[in-house]
Each structure stands twice: as structure tokens, then as C-alpha cells.
Amino acid sequence: MLPLRLGGAVVLAGVGLATGERTPGLQQWAAALAMIAALVVLVIAALPVTPVTTARAKQVLNWVEIAVVVAAVVLTVGASGVFASMANYEGI
């Protein structure tokens, strides 16, 4: 199993490359940007992690998780047509 940081970096790199290939202006830069991102992740992963850094990273990840869940709920509600039906609602 991959470590969490490495797994996240691999997923982000894959999404970045897929986005770069679909966007005409980024096609020529996709590979170079992926290499730069990989280098940054490698440097960050090589740094020693103190307990304070670990706690701070967990706090940040908790907030990111909350934002992702809220975005997923809004996306689900929008895809199911609730917003469209609410737009037609005139009230009592």
C-alpha cells in the first residue's frame, strides 16, 4: 500500500496530466508542470516531520475534508434537479 502522501501526489499528478491534455493551452506544459510538482512533493516528503507539523497538517486536512463534503453535497443536490425545481417555486 502506498503512503498517504505519495498516493495523494500520484492522484493529483494524474488529474493534472489529464486536465493538461484536455486544455489546449496547457498541453505543451503538462509534462513539465507534472515534473515540477513531483519534485516539490519529493522535497516536502524528505523533510523531517515534527509532532506540531503533523497536528497542523491534520487540522488542514480536516478543513479540506469538510470543504470537499460540502461541495459533494451541493453537486449531488444540483445534479438531482433540486435547484432547478426551487427556481420554479413561487412560495405560498
Side-chain angles (χ1 to χ4, degrees):
M1 199 171 198
L2 289 174
L4 187 57
R5 281 192 254 176
L6 182 58
V10 168
V11 168
L12 287 176
V15 170
L17 282 173
T19 303
E21 289 176 0
R22 285 182 283 165
T23 308
L26 292 177
Q27 285 178 347
Q28 61 189 7
W29 298 101
L33 291 174
M35 283 181 41
I36 291 170
L39 182 63
V40 168
V41 168
L42 181 67
V43 168
I44 290 173
L47 295 174
V49 181
T50 65
V52 174
T53 306
T54 303
R56 187 62 72 179
K58 286 183 180 181
Q59 286 179 340
V60 170
L61 289 175
N62 285 339
W63 284 108
V64 169
E65 182 181 9
I66 290 170
V68 168
V69 168
V70 168
V73 168
V74 170
L75 180 65
T76 302
V77 169
S80 64
V82 173
F83 292 140
S85 66
M86 287 176 66
N88 298 328
Y89 182 70
E90 294 181 12
I92 297 176

